[in-house]
Amino acid sequence: MKRLVWMGIGVAIGVIAFRKVTEAQSALGPEGLNRAVGRLADGVYDFADAVRAGMRERETDLRAALGVEAENIVRR
């Protein structure tokens, strides 16, 4: 009975290890690298969009505080 329990534990550890190794191999291949770079690029674009939105909001607040109208401004 004791051997059966240890054998079951060994099989479970083997299955978990096999899944982890397979997952690591897929992450290290070209597809995994492409996914990682894509996620990084998406994060950078999302961050830049958030910064631009914050800048627009702050600029609007400053213009309102200074009494500057937006129509008089020439955009480049």
Side-chain angles (χ1 to χ4, degrees):
M1 183 70 174
K2 209 175 194 182
R3 285 184 179 184
L4 187 60
V5 169
W6 284 110
M7 192 167 111
I9 292 172
V11 168
I13 291 172
V15 168
I16 292 170
F18 178 76
R19 285 187 179 182
K20 291 289 184 181
V21 168
T22 304
E23 183 180 307
Q25 283 178 341
S26 69
L28 294 176
E31 297 85 15
L33 182 60
N34 286 340
R35 279 192 302 271
V37 170
R39 276 189 244 129
L40 178 64
D42 289 344
V44 169
Y45 287 130
D46 291 343
F47 177 73
D49 287 341
V51 168
R52 283 188 211 107
M55 287 172 46
R56 269 187 249 111
E57 183 180 338
R58 182 66 178 145
E59 184 177 1
T60 303
D61 293 344
L62 289 172
R63 289 188 187 286
L66 294 173
V68 178
E69 294 182 18
E71 293 96 29
N72 297 337
I73 298 170
V74 177
R75 297 265 177 187
R76 294 179 192 193

